[in-house]
């Protein structure tokens, strides 16, 4: 009994691995966060495997149903809307349930937005903290304060609608000179890395409304661009 956790592209469809394609073709069922969204990916690669939805609002009944499929001998793969399942999306509950049911978990690695951003950001990358989505309201101040003396790069996902507010708060708390990178629309047509400081990036996005999917990377306290 096996559950394959399959990474899919974060934009550029060429970023799917041969192994992922083979697994998605071979399994009996694909559990997908949004089946309509994932249908486009499967159609592009001429994959006809049936899908079942599994998303953040899926309750215990859906988890039980998926586990029952695997226990009945069905080969099942889990994908999310983009990237690596479980990285800021709902895979973990299913992985836990599968382990509790003594199902083997096989990872099929591939793209993830935070690692893709880290690869080209230019900030120290030997050690880093991936902190998921920034909280929308509560907890932001104490989180940002904890970065004052951070000794490794911190990485967040953020909505473009909140980016300006976030940069303002970061400038207030970390000061105008903290080095920051905004990685936008990774692997897509408008992929852009904005490298600067809290001050320069705030200036930049005050002039130009932030758009698209965004990763924020905050340098360790002692890093400056050379
Ligand atoms: N599982 C995904 C992964 O492995 O990165 C993350 C899913 S999370 C629901 C979606 C968030 O990831 C977006 O709001 C954005 O912050 C980030 N993201 C996803 N794709 C991206 C891209 N192509 N460029 C920049 N950020 C991206």
């Amino acid at each position: 009994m096996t559950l394959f956790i399959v990474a899919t592209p974060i934009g550029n469809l060429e970023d799917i691995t041969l192994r992922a394609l083979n697994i998605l073709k071979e399994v009996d069922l694909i559990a997908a966060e949004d089946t309509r969204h994932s249908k486009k990916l499967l159609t592009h690669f001429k994959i006809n495997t049936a899908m079942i939805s599994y998303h953040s609002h899926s309750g215990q009944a859906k988890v039980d149903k998926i586990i029952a499929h695997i226990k009945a001998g069905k080969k099942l793969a889990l994908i999310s809307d983009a990237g690596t399942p479980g990285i800021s999306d709902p895979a973990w509950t299913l992985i836990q349930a599968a382990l509790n049911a003594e199902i083997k978990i096989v990872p099929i690695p591939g793209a993830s937005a935070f690692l893709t951003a880290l690869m080209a950001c230019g900030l120290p990358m030997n050690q880093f903290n991936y902190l998921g989505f920034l909280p929308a309201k509560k907890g932001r101040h104490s989180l940002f304060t904890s970065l004052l003396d951070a000794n490794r790069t911190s990485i967040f996902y953020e909505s473009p609608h909140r980016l300006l507010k976030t940069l303002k708060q970061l400038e207030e708390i970390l000061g105008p000179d903290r080095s920051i990178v905004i990685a936008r629309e990774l692997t897509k047509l408008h992929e852009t890395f904005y490298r600067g400081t809290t001050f320069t990036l705030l200036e930049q996005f005050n002039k130009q409304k932030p758009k698209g999917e965004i990763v924020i990377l905050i340098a360790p306290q002692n890093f400056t661009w050379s």
Side-chain angles (χ1 to χ4, degrees):
M1 293 188 304
T2 305
L3 171 63
F4 296 96
I5 311 296
V6 182
T8 57
I10 55 167
N12 190 325
L13 293 185
E14 292 184 12
D15 291 334
I16 194 155
T17 68
L18 294 176
R19 192 165 167 230
L21 289 176
N22 286 333
I23 295 287
L24 293 177
K25 271 180 205 153
E26 278 169 21
V27 292
D28 301 300
L29 199 54
I30 298 171
E33 212 179 334
D34 176 344
T35 51
R36 272 196 302 182
H37 173 90
S38 294
K39 183 79 193 155
K40 290 179 204 148
L41 176 80
L42 298 191
T43 304
H44 180 85
F45 289 109
K46 301 187 171 54
I47 296 171
N48 301 315
T49 310
M51 280 190 281
I52 180 171
S53 73
Y54 173 72
H55 46 71
S56 52
H57 303 296
S58 297
Q60 189 59 40
K62 184 50 93 51
V63 171
D64 293 344
K65 187 172 171 185
I66 294 172
I67 297 295
H69 278 307
I70 305 174
K71 287 194 139 182
K74 285 216 161 91
K75 282 196 263 172
L76 207 133
L78 173 66
I79 60 176
S80 56
D81 281 351
T84 298
I87 303 300
S88 299
D89 59 37
W92 183 60
T93 314
L94 188 60
I95 293 171
Q96 257 195 324
L99 286 173
N100 288 338
E102 296 186 1
I103 291 165
K104 186 176 163 193
I105 310 287
V106 177
I108 312 296
S112 194
F114 81 88
L115 263 188
T116 308
L118 189 65
M119 283 166 77
C121 69
L123 299 176
M125 57 200 282
N126 267 350
Q127 293 189 354
F128 59 88
N129 273 350
Y130 169 66
L131 293 152
F133 274 104
L134 275 174
K137 291 194 181 111
K138 264 187 156 183
R140 289 164 70 92
H141 194 275
S142 57
L143 182 57
F144 294 158
T145 305
S146 75
L147 301 181
L148 270 169
D149 56 0
N151 55 9
R152 57 192 66 156
T153 297
S154 308
I155 312 176
F156 300 96
Y157 290 164
E158 177 63 303
S159 149
H161 313 297
R162 276 194 296 269
L163 181 64
L164 263 181
K165 174 183 160 192
T166 299
L167 285 172
K168 276 184 198 143
Q169 252 183 319
L170 284 170
E171 197 202 22
E172 270 166 37
I173 297 171
L174 302 179
D177 299 326
R178 189 63 166 262
S179 302
I180 289 202
V181 176
I182 308 295
R184 169 181 165 252
E185 292 287 276
L186 292 162
T187 77
K188 303 184 205 174
L189 184 63
H190 297 293
E191 176 179 275
T192 319
F193 284 85
Y194 300 91
R195 299 179 181 84
T197 63
T198 35
F199 179 77
T200 61
L201 291 188
L202 194 51
E203 261 196 339
Q204 162 104 37
F205 287 107
N206 260 324
K207 282 188 226 137
Q208 172 200 351
K209 214 170 171 246
K211 275 196 210 141
E213 294 195 285
I214 278 172
V215 182
I216 303 180
L217 304 101
I218 302 172
Q221 47 136 1
N222 55 5
F223 174 88
T224 45
W225 298 107
S226 52

